[in-house]
Amino acid sequence: MRGIPVIPIENGSATKNLTERDIQVLHDLYQYQMLNIKQIRELHFPGSEKYVYKRLFQLKREGYVKSRPLVEKGKKVGAGYFITEKGLRILEVQGLSNKERRARDNKPSGIRLSSVIERNELYTQLLPYKWSFVNGRDFKKTNGINRGALLSGLFIRQDGKQFVLYILENNTRDQTFLKLQREIKLLSDRNILILCKGPVIYEKLWEAEDMHAKELSIIPFPSAIPIMRWYCTNDILYQELQRFGVVSTEQNRFHFGDMVVQGEATKYYVANCLMGDKMTLHYLKRYSYDVYQRTGIKVLLLHWAVGEFQFPFDRYPHVQSVPFYLEELPTR
């Protein structure tokens, strides 16, 4: 990582020993509020565990960052780093910050520390696969959404597809669940991605009948990173589906897919549940056997081979199960 020239700051003095990588670290701390050492190392110091400790110590000693302990179940599990006002002034000189947001506003509160670190773990793990992320604060401001909204941000796949992100605890309260339903109603023209931190909230979301969006993807939190690493572009599906025939894009009039496959003797609609899209199954269930007999077009239903997935295949003989296996995903 090349160094950068000495940078003047507002009072006319100069920064000392700051590199381009230091500026990038400060910018990420500003953008994502708080990162732990593991996340900073993966983003900026890959393969250099000792040096990341040394560099963070120097940035902290010079007053550009601060840290606070991260605690789980009463035990310290590490430290989270956040930017200071001095560090923020460096970003202002570089044109990398919004002057309306000061360091005191950027620091997450104690009750939000674990959720911020958790959200940023998704960001750091998915960045190498060309997913990008807009944090919740900036997304809310840009779209005129209340600051108290539950959403965590916006993920953007490398092919441009966007997902508004929610992360829900297993013991989500009824009041919070009702608030979620109201928010999704306001965002019904967008793709929604909800990551569930337990089976109770996962099942509750699938059972809820009054939640609708353009896509409503519901995934167990532990499965999110491997699924999203693999499914980082729709080109993946074109490759996978070629074993059934010629693949093309075509929005079907039954609203459960935008891909078709023309086999040697059979044409298929593609119903894609690989991102846990509840809306796909909602509309697919309207494509009854009687409707199929009129169209003559069968369905390939793409889904993960896990116990949570349920579909009444016995009542839909025209729908062919196409299971995918998490443990068989290629490491790239």
Side-chain angles (χ1 to χ4, degrees):
M1 188 76 65
R2 66 181 178 84
I4 58 174
V6 171
I7 309 167
I9 58 178
E10 291 179 355
N11 63 6
S13 63
T15 63
K16 296 180 180 180
N17 303 320
L18 280 182
T19 67
E20 181 178 340
R21 180 161 52 185
D22 294 332
I23 302 298
Q24 292 171 345
V25 170
L26 293 178
H27 187 248
D28 269 356
L29 293 178
Y30 174 71
Q31 285 287 87
Y32 303 105
Q33 298 183 273
M34 179 175 284
L35 296 167
N36 62 25
I37 291 175
K38 171 180 173 289
Q39 293 164 348
I40 294 171
R41 183 179 70 246
E42 290 180 354
L43 288 169
H44 301 290
F45 301 86
S48 182
E49 185 169 354
K50 290 183 179 180
Y51 187 67
V52 67
Y53 283 98
K54 177 180 178 181
R55 201 60 199 159
L56 286 173
F57 173 79
Q58 292 171 335
L59 291 173
K60 186 176 179 181
R61 183 184 60 190
E62 296 295 328
Y64 298 117
V65 305
K66 287 184 178 181
S67 67
R68 63 179 300 172
L70 299 174
V71 179
E72 288 183 8
K73 298 179 180 179
K75 295 183 179 180
K76 182 179 177 181
V77 293
Y81 287 79
F82 56 93
I83 196 168
T84 65
E85 194 65 26
K86 183 177 180 181
L88 188 54
R89 288 200 298 271
I90 297 299
L91 296 184
E92 288 177 354
V93 171
Q94 300 293 300
L96 296 174
S97 69
N98 179 350
K99 291 186 178 182
E100 296 178 4
R101 191 201 316 161
R102 308 315 308 167
R104 63 179 178 273
D105 306 317
N106 208 57
K107 178 183 173 183
S109 61
I111 60 174
R112 294 187 59 244
L113 289 183
S114 61
S115 62
V116 169
I117 292 294
E118 200 167 51
R119 177 202 68 192
N120 290 340
E121 185 66 17
L122 292 170
Y123 160 65
T124 56
Q125 292 295 319
L126 295 176
L127 185 65
Y129 298 84
K130 298 184 180 179
W131 283 84
S132 57
F133 182 68
V134 179
N135 66 61
R137 176 187 51 223
D138 291 341
F139 180 76
K140 292 171 190 176
K141 183 176 181 179
T142 300
N143 292 276
I145 298 172
N146 188 288
R147 289 179 61 185
L150 297 171
L151 66 89
S152 296
L154 181 78
F155 267 115
I156 306 171
R157 207 165 62 184
Q158 65 172 270
D159 58 12
K161 188 168 185 175
Q162 301 182 356
F163 297 86
V164 178
L165 175 69
Y166 287 87
I167 302 175
L168 295 185
E169 298 291 335
N170 195 41
N171 59 350
T172 297
R173 296 179 302 171
D174 290 343
Q175 183 179 358
T176 303
F177 195 83
L178 290 172
K179 183 177 180 181
L180 170 73
Q181 290 176 304
R182 291 193 295 269
E183 285 188 25
I184 289 178
K185 187 175 182 180
L186 295 173
L187 295 166
S188 60
D189 61 337
R190 288 182 173 270
N191 303 316
I192 306 295
L193 171 60
I194 306 177
L195 305 185
C196 305
K197 295 177 64 180
V200 174
I201 186 62
Y202 182 85
E203 292 172 9
K204 187 173 183 178
L205 285 164
W206 276 100
E207 292 171 359
E209 297 181 354
D210 52 352
M211 296 178 69
H212 300 276
K214 186 177 180 181
E215 289 186 14
L216 184 56
S217 298
I218 304 169
I219 304 177
F221 189 91
S223 302
I225 289 176
I227 287 174
M228 295 172 73
R229 279 176 168 177
W230 175 76
Y231 194 9
C232 55
T233 172
N234 221 36
D235 291 345
I236 296 293
L237 291 193
Y238 280 86
Q239 298 170 19
E240 293 288 341
L241 290 169
Q242 285 175 1
R243 56 189 161 123
F244 296 101
V246 179
V247 186
S248 60
T249 300
E250 179 184 315
Q251 182 70 52
N252 71 64
R253 59 190 176 91
F254 304 100
H255 306 292
F256 61 76
D258 60 1
M259 301 175 74
V260 295
V261 178
Q262 181 61 63
E264 291 185 4
T266 307
K267 183 176 181 179
Y268 301 92
Y269 291 133
V270 177
N272 177 13
C273 278
L274 294 176
M275 286 291 287
D277 182 20
K278 183 177 179 179
M279 300 311 301
T280 291
L281 293 185
H282 171 77
Y283 288 114
L284 178 58
K285 288 177 179 178
R286 298 181 178 182
Y287 190 66
S288 66
Y289 188 72
D290 289 339
V291 178
Y292 156 67
Q293 287 183 311
R294 294 197 295 270
T295 66
I297 302 175
K298 293 185 176 182
V299 179
L300 299 174
L301 175 52
L302 316 184
H303 64 91
W304 296 105
V306 292
E308 296 91 343
F309 185 81
Q310 296 180 0
F311 185 80
F313 288 103
D314 57 329
R315 301 205 324 261
Y316 294 79
H318 54 295
V319 176
Q320 177 178 336
S321 169
V322 183
F324 287 71
Y325 299 86
L326 281 172
E327 61 271 20
E328 294 180 2
L329 292 183
T331 302
R332 294 185 297 145

